[in-house]
Amino acid sequence: MTASARPDPLPGLVGFASALRQAGLGCDAHRVQAYLTAVERLDVGDPAQLYWAGRLTLCADPDDLPRYDEAFAAWFGGTELRPRQRGVPQPRQPKLAALVTQSGGEGETEEEGEQVSVAASDVEVLRDRDLGELSSAERRHLRELFAKLDPVLPLRSSLRYRSAKRGKLDQARTLRAMVARGGEPGALSYAKHGRSPRRVVFLVDVSGSMKPYADSLLRFVHVVVRSAPQRVEAFTLGTRLTRVSRQLRQRDPERAMLAAGEAVADFAGGTRLGETMRGFLDRWGQRGLARRAIVVVFSDGWERGDATLLGEQTARLRRLAHRVFWVNPHAGREGYAPVQSGIAAALPHVDRLLAGHSLATLERLLREIRDA
Amino acid sequence: MTDETAEKLDSPEKLAQVLEGIGYLADTGVATAAFLALRMRRPLFCEGEPGTGKTSLAVALAEGLGLPLIRLQCHEGIDAAQALYEWDFPRQLLHLRALEAAGGGQLDAEVAEQSLYTERFLLARPLLKALTSAPCVLLVDEIDRADDEFEAFLLQLLDENAVTIPEYGEVKARTPPLVVLTSNRTREVHDALKRRCLYHWLEHPGLQREIAILRSRIPGIGERLAEQVAESVHRLRAMELLKPPGVAETLDWARALRTLGRDGLDAEVAAATLGAVLKYSEDLDRVKAQLDTLLA
């Protein structure tokens, strides 16, 4: 077969890979190379094999698969891939990132008066102020105070042994010591199970009713995530579930908040607490993330519609978790009664209902976590 | 597996036939994934719902290709000593004593130390065993349970099929093992690890395939029972249960029914044997309340 009769498939394949990149898949040069190798080993004339060659090498996540299927059908099926509108900014939902910058734009006129009030206001006063009612200058000041928080995670027994004064005989260590002494017996070494930090999972409600608190609460979560990046996980709840642990692991708070804001598509939207809670438990919690962990739910418990599902799922959460803390920004107010349908359904299955409307109450939450 | 048999497996279909011969029914995706892993000498990273046959794929590949299977079960806190190698201290010590006795109390420290760090005293854990006994199938099961550090540790092994032991030197596999990694997605595995692997997401098998699996795995099962069990399991999976049944549960259920001497499924016997398929009391309650729709 001559070259003209059978065109070089390479540009088509590479083009497909870049179409996938446009669709949001992370197929870098390394993956594209694997793709080309895979295609070489298979029969490209067979659509099924062509499909699998790409799916096995270019995808890396179940979320990639629908996008891959769509792009594959578009590219090799003859229909045109729906192009992303270039140059036309996509309309965006209000996001957390907007809140980060909001402090500069919105309150320009009152700025100077506030500076004075912050300078005058004592830290102690700010500690007890409601996070939802802070001025932008106070917010900035609060961020500095957040940075000074020192979260301590409680410990749980780990499988690995550490040397200790008493416990089980540490044979390897004892023998190593003997070898060092030329084989003479000496003092025996012991070991016992080590301790490692217990996992903490934050579920932050970012629906409309929590909007005044969401930014501060996520900043608070960021501080805790930074204290033990491998042991703390964070999700946002709203109309859907979003995992933001990876975004919040960045050191810089502003960058972390921007990244989290990018990731959360349903900020200040509606609430489907029960469903998103079930999504969390099905996809993450039951498989291990919530097992023996301390789960902290930040939510006012406003559930539209039937709250039975939320009750069921909270009960399930409690059976998995070591402790379930429900933190409600309104719970600290005078005259608060947990009567909203959501919180009423969840409350019987929660270890503690805590307030979370001010720095002082968040510090108390940290103590509760430490002692859990 | 000799190179000759590997040569014969020149298409995913041929590999699927080999796997079918030992009772593992692979669909096009699984067959292509395994075929490419063999041919491209790349690890295969399998993710999917529990019970979709991730681990059994590795087992079937080993059996089908006639290779030994070496399994590493990951867990929190797993470290190099548990996964790779350990020195056998008690035997090293005995050896030291013997040397000392033979030398009449005199011991050349350098010679003694050299003789201590040899293969004789090296306890090979699964990963080292996989490198030295290749060709073989290495199953790294539930990698998502291990820590991030352990993933990083695996990278060198996957890249170079070699590990370095400080006192001993580099151990390199003559033939790279066929590596299958599985994950239940309890946490996200690092992209650096995924990038070195072929990625396969497994789904529950389709109805016809599940019937075929039942018939091939349970000899003597009647067509009617196989169909009824598979259909009921498919309805169960659509019911939003806490734990949707996997293929293993389907097989368990069919075996339970066979043990009771049944060749069909009715409401009464279904209620009595549901425990083989459902593992949560909430699920049992929910399904028992609507048994008629299950068997419709």
Side-chain angles (χ1 to χ4, degrees):
Chain A
M1 207 179 281
T2 56
S4 58
R6 189 175 172 179
D8 184 9
L10 192 66
L13 297 175
V14 175
F16 174 52
S18 62
L20 283 175
R21 230 187 334 264
Q22 280 226 338
L25 268 71
C27 30
D28 54 9
H30 197 90
R31 288 218 167 95
V32 174
Q33 194 157 21
Y35 175 49
L36 298 178
T37 321
V39 167
E40 225 168 79
R41 309 279 155 115
L42 292 169
D43 177 10
V44 195
D46 179 353
Q49 297 203 5
L50 187 62
Y51 168 85
W52 283 103
R55 188 175 140 171
L56 290 161
T57 49
L58 298 171
C59 298
D61 195 274
D63 297 340
D64 290 349
L65 301 181
R67 282 181 281 180
Y68 176 81
D69 288 352
E70 196 184 319
F72 184 84
W75 192 264
F76 294 107
T79 57
E80 210 174 314
L81 184 65
R82 197 153 27 99
R84 268 202 179 173
Q85 288 182 313
R86 283 199 188 174
V88 182
Q90 304 273 331
R92 289 195 172 193
Q93 294 197 7
K95 288 186 172 183
L96 293 175
L99 266 190
V100 177
T101 47
Q102 165 189 311
S103 52
E106 192 180 83
E108 212 71 70
T109 45
E110 17 174 8
E111 194 81 347
E112 270 162 48
E114 276 170 13
Q115 288 291 353
V116 180
S117 77
V118 167
S121 77
D122 193 356
V123 172
E124 286 306 311
V125 176
L126 192 57
R127 285 183 68 234
D128 290 318
R129 286 285 304 276
D130 190 312
L131 295 173
E133 294 163 3
L134 295 183
S135 66
S136 50
E138 283 172 325
R139 239 172 236 285
R140 267 201 299 279
H141 190 52
L142 186 75
R143 279 174 217 163
E144 289 161 25
L145 293 180
F146 269 167
K148 288 182 187 143
L149 288 176
D150 183 24
V152 180
L153 302 191
L155 299 175
R156 60 167 185 80
S157 174
S158 80
L159 192 68
R160 294 168 85 166
Y161 283 95
R162 303 254 162 83
S163 63
K165 284 256 168 61
R166 54 175 65 91
K168 116 192 154 85
L169 184 67
D170 188 344
Q171 292 186 344
R173 200 183 172 83
T174 307
L175 284 162
R176 261 198 305 269
M178 281 175 74
V179 173
R181 286 189 295 269
E184 290 306 315
L188 302 175
S189 300
Y190 295 93
K192 65 178 177 187
H193 284 292
R195 312 273 282 163
S196 55
R198 191 180 281 282
R199 200 197 324 270
V200 178
V201 181
F202 288 103
L203 304 175
V204 185
D205 184 347
V206 292
S207 61
S209 58
M210 287 288 286
K211 191 179 171 200
Y213 297 98
D215 179 72
S216 299
L217 290 179
L218 274 171
R219 282 174 187 281
F220 169 75
V221 171
H222 173 251
V223 175
V224 187
V225 169
R226 283 299 311 164
S227 75
Q230 302 307 329
R231 301 285 180 184
V232 185
E233 295 280 342
F235 294 82
T236 61
L237 310 175
T239 50
R240 53 177 219 159
L241 177 81
T242 314
R243 182 169 179 259
V244 289
S245 316
R246 207 171 359 167
Q247 286 79 5
L248 293 182
R249 277 180 197 147
Q250 301 185 56
R251 191 180 306 270
D252 183 69
E254 302 309 320
R255 280 180 178 218
M257 291 300 290
L258 273 170
E262 284 290 313
V264 179
D266 56 343
F267 178 69
T271 337
R272 291 205 303 259
L273 272 182
E275 271 172 59
T276 39
M277 185 85 92
R278 183 170 68 195
F280 166 73
L281 290 168
D282 282 350
R283 195 165 163 191
W284 300 96
Q286 185 169 314
R287 298 196 188 157
L289 211 62
R291 278 182 203 280
R292 295 170 66 211
I294 295 164
V295 182
V296 182
V297 185
F298 286 115
S299 172
D300 53 7
W302 276 103
E303 177 74 319
R304 285 169 205 174
D306 193 7
T308 327
L309 182 64
L310 179 63
E312 279 173 23
Q313 297 304 316
T314 321
R316 192 177 156 204
L317 176 63
R318 194 197 194 170
R319 287 198 297 273
L320 287 167
H322 177 68
R323 292 277 184 279
V324 179
F325 293 146
W326 193 290
V327 183
N328 185 341
H330 305 315
R333 301 239 174 92
E334 242 171 89
Y336 170 81
V339 288
Q340 296 88 349
S341 63
I343 196 94
L347 206 55
H349 313 293
V350 165
D351 288 290
R352 292 291 303 270
L353 174 69
L354 298 163
H357 62 286
S358 66
L359 183 60
T361 52
L362 289 177
E363 283 172 343
R364 196 171 311 140
L365 170 66
L366 278 183
R367 283 198 295 278
E368 291 275 352
I369 291 176
R370 187 194 62 201
D371 299 337
Chain B
M1 180 187 57
T2 59
D3 287 343
E4 210 173 299
T5 51
E7 282 300 305
K8 277 188 208 150
L9 295 170
D10 59 358
S11 71
E13 290 81 35
K14 293 246 174 77
L15 182 62
Q17 280 166 17
V18 168
L19 293 177
E20 198 178 332
I22 55 149
Y24 186 95
L25 301 186
D27 59 21
T28 322
V30 170
T32 315
F35 173 77
L36 283 177
L38 267 175
R39 278 308 178 88
M40 292 168 69
R41 297 198 181 283
R42 275 201 171 221
L44 178 59
F45 188 93
C46 293
E47 270 189 337
E49 296 296 322
T52 46
K54 302 183 289 290
T55 303
S56 54
L57 171 62
V59 177
L61 277 172
E63 198 185 334
L65 301 171
L67 298 173
L69 174 76
I70 295 171
R71 176 175 177 158
L72 175 69
Q73 172 67 50
C74 297
H75 55 79
E76 214 173 34
I78 190 171
D79 60 12
Q82 292 156 359
L84 196 53
Y85 70 91
E86 257 177 309
W87 290 107
D88 190 346
F89 282 109
R91 287 194 52 216
Q92 280 178 323
L93 197 74
L94 271 175
H95 178 70
L96 217 56
R97 289 287 199 197
L99 278 184
E100 208 178 17
Q106 294 297 308
L107 197 60
D108 184 339
E110 207 160 296
V111 175
E113 197 177 328
Q114 264 178 18
S115 70
L116 275 182
Y117 294 108
T118 55
E119 214 175 321
R120 248 177 99 186
F121 303 109
L122 196 58
L123 294 174
R125 299 295 181 221
L127 294 182
L128 187 64
K129 213 182 278 170
L131 290 180
T132 50
S133 66
C136 63
V137 175
L138 170 62
L139 167 62
V140 181
D141 214 5
E142 304 191 326
I143 178 72
D144 51 327
R145 285 184 180 223
D147 308 315
D148 288 21
E149 296 89 338
F150 187 71
E151 277 172 37
F153 160 79
L154 271 182
L155 293 181
Q156 187 207 353
L157 189 115
L158 295 181
D159 272 343
E160 301 164 17
N161 290 299
V163 291
T164 313
I165 301 173
E167 305 91 345
Y168 182 75
E170 196 188 56
V171 180
K172 196 173 172 65
R174 266 171 294 134
T175 323
L178 173 61
V179 185
V180 178
L181 301 116
T182 75
S183 155
N184 282 328
R185 274 202 117 214
T186 59
R187 93 190 151 79
E188 262 177 74
V189 171
H190 202 281
D191 204 45
L193 183 70
K194 280 185 168 176
R195 215 172 47 198
R196 287 162 169 85
C197 306
L198 297 168
Y199 177 82
H200 187 44
W201 173 261
L202 284 99
E203 303 270 2
H204 288 297
L207 184 62
Q208 289 312 316
R209 185 165 297 276
E210 194 143 23
I211 294 173
I213 291 173
L214 277 169
R215 302 198 61 186
S216 90
R217 296 293 290 276
I218 302 177
I221 188 172
E223 197 157 333
R224 192 168 85 107
L225 183 62
E227 274 173 23
Q228 282 182 328
V229 168
E231 279 169 11
S232 304
V233 168
H234 274 249
R235 280 190 206 109
L236 285 173
R237 283 189 195 134
M239 269 171 148
E240 298 201 338
L241 300 171
L242 291 183
K243 169 76 179 74
V247 178
E249 278 80 24
T250 315
L251 291 170
D252 278 351
W253 199 13
R255 282 196 198 104
L257 293 165
R258 293 273 297 153
T259 312
L260 294 173
R262 300 298 177 115
D263 52 10
L265 196 57
D266 56 53
E268 188 196 346
V269 72
T273 51
L274 267 181
V277 218
L278 302 176
K279 307 297 163 82
Y280 282 85
S281 70
E282 292 91 334
D283 287 353
L284 279 170
D285 292 345
R286 186 171 299 174
V287 172
K288 275 183 182 160
Q290 38 182 321
L291 259 185
D292 40 332
T293 58
L294 179 67
L295 299 169

